[in-house]
Amino acid sequence: MVARLVVAAPSSGAGKTTIATGLMAALVQAGLTVSPHKAGPDYIDPGYHALATGRPGRNLDPFLTSEDLVAPLFLHGARGADIAIVEGVMGLFDGLPDGYASTAHVARLIDAPVVLVVDATGQGQSVAALVHGFAGFDTRVRIGGVILNRVGSDRHEEVCRAALDHSGVPVLGVIRRTPGIETPSRHLGLIPVAERRREAVEAVARLGDLVTEGCDLKALVRLAHTAPMPAGEAWSPEAALAGCSGDAAHRSERRTTTKVAVAGGPAFTFGYAEQTELLQAAGAEVVPFDPLRDERLPEGAGGLILPGGFPEMHVQDLAANEPLKREIAAFGGPILAECGGLLYLARELDGHPMVGRIDAKSEMSPRLTLGYRDAVVTRDTIIGRTGERVRGHEFHRTVTDLPGERVYRWRGGADGYAAGRILASYLHLHWAGTPEAATRFVKECG
């Protein structure tokens, strides 16, 4: 049985990431092996989860991967763990229409009890009314406890606890207001771990101490063990590729290993662990490199992946690495670029020269583009075929004047550039939902 908890909140800003990351760190400090997960498409929070647990942070998103894959992907990530902690997204019931892809939806799909993080700022007895409303809103979701966050004093705690005594939902922790404990953020949320490694390690340790001091860890672990035995089998990249029509056959034909270079480092931090696992199952050796530091692509690379991230925050250093830009400009293998990778492939970003493989200019915008996209592929690409449907999400504050016909179209929008062996788009895909992308990309590398 996989013991598990979902850490949720009534709304964004209540302290989910603080509590979830601190709980992961506290449980590790207590000697448990913890599997970290995040509901929704977010890339940044899982970086802190990974730092707290020493395991890859993994996303659970029914829109990107389908409802049927959420539990198998959860079981895959939780292999060998004593307990799994899932951080929610937004408010507990907030998602697409009818709550699809909400935290509550994910909690139902993995049959996990929910711990509700309530920001007690400015509240006393009203805390009980709020918790009562959330506990009764959808009886398919079991709220097994409350953690009161940002409690101001002993008296404030007494009032909140007394009000909750008759709610039927136990208080499993109280976190006092702690100046300076919040993780710094900017235009797209938290600052990724890779950009502040030393400070992030210290912050996660402080969060672990905070939760250890303020929460009943034994009670939280007992609640996690009330989750029933999950049904079904764990996801595996090999089985996912075997289920792909036609394309999967290429994997069994390969006798040599293809090297796929994947950009990383502080500028390119967005990625799902399953993409690497699928590429490896398709016969690739995945080799990371850092465009801020490395002047050469990994030797023998047959394909190149430029994931999302924050190249706009490192634009001067990226522009200054002329040797690597020249190598990528001349690279003959397939290139897949998502969001930040698209900015790097363009001619310029905020006036700074980039690689120039795409004749386009990118610049920062005051408008945040954010949302799920149910798209249709308009032409064959290195990972897609005309007419196929893909589900992805956008998350950026930049605009790019892409040339040519758009590769992806959805109701009310379109995006993406494809030419020769290049595919670049603002659209982020979770390859567990499109595993054939791995075999197609590796085949293009041959």
Side-chain angles (χ1 to χ4, degrees), residues 246-304:
D247 299 294
H250 175 71
R251 178 177 59 90
S252 62
E253 296 169 2
R254 297 193 64 84
R255 291 295 180 265
T256 59
T257 299
T258 297
K259 285 187 179 180
V260 175
V262 179
F268 299 96
T269 57
F270 293 1
Y272 298 123
E274 291 81 4
Q275 182 185 63
T276 295
E277 293 167 345
L278 284 162
L279 285 169
Q280 291 169 337
E285 176 188 355
V286 177
V287 185
F289 71 102
D290 184 352
L292 292 177
R293 184 193 66 215
D294 297 326
E295 294 186 344
R296 302 289 306 273
L297 289 171
E299 185 177 356
L304 175 60

Side-chain angles (χ1 to χ4, degrees), residues 110-173:
I110 64 171
D111 206 354
V114 172
V115 175
L116 196 67
V117 176
V118 176
D119 182 356
T121 303
Q123 296 189 76
Q125 293 187 17
S126 295
V127 164
L130 185 151
V131 172
H132 177 77
F134 270 78
F137 182 76
D138 184 347
T139 56
R140 297 173 298 172
V141 179
R142 177 164 62 100
I143 298 180
V146 173
I147 294 176
L148 297 170
N149 193 26
R150 300 174 187 143
V151 173
S153 64
D154 290 343
R155 177 57 181 160
H156 189 195
E157 179 179 341
E158 289 172 6
V159 170
C160 292
R161 282 187 179 273
L164 286 163
D165 275 347
H166 304 294
S167 70
V169 182
V171 176
L172 301 181

Side-chain angles (χ1 to χ4, degrees), residues 28-261:
V28 169
Q29 291 167 13
L32 298 180
T33 300
V34 180
S35 178
H37 303 262
K38 170 70 179 181
D42 179 83
Y43 291 106
I44 302 175
D45 293 347
Y48 287 88
H49 299 168
L51 198 60
T53 64
R55 293 167 66 104
R58 295 180 184 270
N59 295 69
L60 302 174
D61 192 313
F63 181 88
L64 294 181
T65 67
S66 84
E67 285 185 304
D68 293 341
L69 280 179
V70 169
L73 284 167
F74 167 77
L75 292 172
H76 170 67
R79 277 193 182 99
D82 299 311
I83 188 170
I85 304 297
V86 182
E87 180 190 340
V89 58
M90 300 188 294
L92 175 58
F93 298 105
D94 298 326
L96 295 171
D98 297 325
Y100 195 94
S102 66
T103 302
H105 188 195
V106 171
R108 295 199 309 268
L109 291 171
I110 64 171
D111 206 354
V114 172
V115 175
L116 196 67
V117 176
V118 176
D119 182 356
T121 303
Q123 296 189 76
Q125 293 187 17
S126 295
V127 164
L130 185 151
V131 172
H132 177 77
F134 270 78
F137 182 76
D138 184 347
T139 56
R140 297 173 298 172
V141 179
R142 177 164 62 100
I143 298 180
V146 173
I147 294 176
L148 297 170
N149 193 26
R150 300 174 187 143
V151 173
S153 64
D154 290 343
R155 177 57 181 160
H156 189 195
E157 179 179 341
E158 289 172 6
V159 170
C160 292
R161 282 187 179 273
L164 286 163
D165 275 347
H166 304 294
S167 70
V169 182
V171 176
L172 301 181
V174 175
I175 305 297
R176 294 297 177 92
R177 292 177 197 153
T178 309
I181 201 68
E182 299 293 337
T183 304
S185 62
R186 58 171 177 241
H187 56 278
L188 292 182
L190 299 184
I191 296 177
V193 165
E195 295 190 44
R196 53 186 299 268
R197 183 79 186 187
R198 181 175 58 81
E199 296 91 338
V201 169
E202 295 171 355
V204 168
R206 290 198 304 273
L207 293 179
D209 292 341
L210 191 71
V211 169
T212 298
E213 294 166 6
C215 296
D216 187 341
L217 292 183
K218 290 183 179 179
L220 287 162
V221 171
R222 284 197 299 270
L223 176 61
H225 278 280
T226 66
M229 182 72 73
E233 298 293 327
W235 179 88
S236 80
E238 294 79 12
L241 294 185
C244 296
S245 60
D247 299 294
H250 175 71
R251 178 177 59 90
S252 62
E253 296 169 2
R254 297 193 64 84
R255 291 295 180 265
T256 59
T257 299
T258 297
K259 285 187 179 180
V260 175

Side-chain angles (χ1 to χ4, degrees), residues 241-242 244-251 254 278-279 281-283 382-383 385 431 434-445:
L241 294 185
C244 296
S245 60
D247 299 294
H250 175 71
R251 178 177 59 90
R254 297 193 64 84
L278 284 162
L279 285 169
I382 53 176
I383 64 167
R385 301 293 180 262
W431 280 17
T434 56
E436 61 275 7
T439 50
R440 291 171 180 173
F441 188 82
V442 172
K443 185 175 182 179
E444 287 284 340
C445 296

Side-chain angles (χ1 to χ4, degrees), residues 343-416:
L343 307 182
Y344 186 48
L345 275 190
R347 184 179 67 253
E348 65 179 65
L349 170 57
D350 278 342
H352 296 271
M354 294 287 103
V355 172
R357 286 294 293 267
I358 302 174
D359 186 18
K361 180 175 68 174
S362 302
E363 58 188 8
M364 293 295 295
S365 166
R367 178 174 175 267
L368 173 64
T369 300
L370 172 67
Y372 286 123
R373 306 289 182 246
D374 189 349
V376 174
V377 180
T378 64
R379 54 179 295 189
D380 288 356
T381 71
I382 53 176
I383 64 167
R385 301 293 180 262
T386 303
E388 291 180 341
R389 288 181 59 191
V390 295
R391 286 187 160 189
H393 72 100
E394 286 188 279
F395 182 51
H396 57 94
R397 280 193 187 273
T398 59
V399 293
T400 304
D401 60 340
L402 286 172
E405 180 189 357
R406 298 290 76 84
V407 176
Y408 299 114
R409 293 195 176 276
W410 57 87
R411 181 178 296 179
D415 185 60

Side-chain angles (χ1 to χ4, degrees), residues 295 314-323 325 353-354:
E295 294 186 344
H314 306 274
V315 65
Q316 291 182 338
D317 290 334
L318 290 170
N321 191 347
E322 292 287 352
K325 288 194 302 179
M354 294 287 103

